[in-house]
Amino acid sequence: MTVTLTKGQQISLEKTGGQPLSVVRMGLGWQAAPRKGFLARLTAREIDLDASAVLFAANEPIDVVFFQHLISDDGSVRHTGDNLVGGAGQGGDDESILVDLLRLPAHVDQIVFTVNSFTGQTFAEVQNAFCRLLDENTGQELARYTLSGGGPYTAQIMAKVHRSSGGWHMSAIGEPANGRTFQDLMPTIASHL
């Protein structure tokens, strides 16, 4: 059963029966919002949203996985590839990041997932955007956070997965931000560690 998260909500990532998850996938999906008017449709550009995962140890960034660095230095986090146009919306994922929780180094205590509009369009031009967390071994969707409301910003700090009380938890952040890359978002990310 999927848990639909609201901004600020946190869930435990332990499987039913107390078994810890081993590999999770953070999926991102979106669609371009329909453009109104003939000229607007003619001049519409594809929207390239990018998913990134920033790995932290004691609130210090130590690695990042994104479209130009698809695998973390230790191999525990892997981006499945860049999607330049979106389109999944309410269906499957346009971009995915796999996290092998058992292979993560012990000093990594947080992974923050971001999405940014590399092409510079605002989220007012995006619809049906979501991020979701799945158990990669079973395909079961564990949690979903839906981006709603559009807005004049070009990025969002979507969620974080963090160690707490010996297990992993997911927190929906949903913080709007501006920036074309994860580097532009680091000051906003820092406030959620």
Side-chain angles (χ1 to χ4, degrees):
M1 173 181 240
T2 298
V3 175
T4 301
L5 297 176
T6 57
K7 186 174 178 175
Q9 187 177 3
Q10 177 176 301
I11 63 163
S12 171
L13 296 182
E14 294 219 1
K15 283 178 141 180
T16 311
Q19 296 295 323
L21 291 168
S22 58
V23 181
V24 295
R25 176 168 36 109
M26 179 65 71
L28 168 67
W30 74 93
Q31 293 175 322
R35 304 281 302 222
K36 295 181 179 159
F38 180 72
L39 187 58
R41 285 192 293 272
L42 284 178
T43 60
R45 295 183 300 157
E46 298 292 348
I47 296 176
D48 178 11
L49 296 186
D50 289 321
S52 302
V54 185
L55 286 68
F56 289 88
N59 295 340
E60 291 297 321
I62 60 165
D63 202 354
V64 65
V65 173
F66 69 116
F67 70 93
Q68 289 184 331
H69 185 242
L70 295 175
I71 301 173
S72 62
D73 294 339
D74 60 38
S76 64
V77 181
R78 182 173 54 91
H79 196 299
T80 60
D82 194 14
N83 180 322
L84 303 177
V85 297
Q90 303 219 338
D93 303 324
D94 291 313
E95 291 193 13
S96 296
I97 298 175
L98 296 163
V99 179
D100 187 335
L101 296 170
L102 302 178
R103 287 186 57 202
L104 274 171
H107 65 285
V108 173
D109 55 6
Q110 299 181 78
I111 303 170
V112 177
F113 295 93
T114 67
V115 58
N116 54 275
S117 174
F118 187 74
T119 45
Q121 292 102 326
T122 68
F123 278 84
E125 299 174 68
V126 175
Q127 70 178 9
N128 299 327
F130 66 85
C131 80
R132 63 187 189 140
L133 193 71
L134 295 97
D135 179 337
E136 184 63 12
N137 295 319
T138 66
Q140 179 187 4
E141 185 174 283
L142 305 169
R144 176 180 286 258
Y145 179 68
T146 302
L147 170 67
S148 59
Y153 47 88
T154 59
Q156 184 157 128
I157 314 306
M158 294 294 279
K160 74 176 176 177
V161 172
H162 54 100
R163 292 184 205 256
S164 178
S165 303
W168 288 95
H169 293 77
M170 178 183 176
S171 297
I173 297 173
E175 177 76 23
N178 283 297
R180 293 181 57 228
T181 67
F182 77 89
Q183 293 100 325
D184 299 333
L185 308 178
M186 292 306 284
T188 306
I189 292 171
S191 67
H192 294 284
L193 300 176

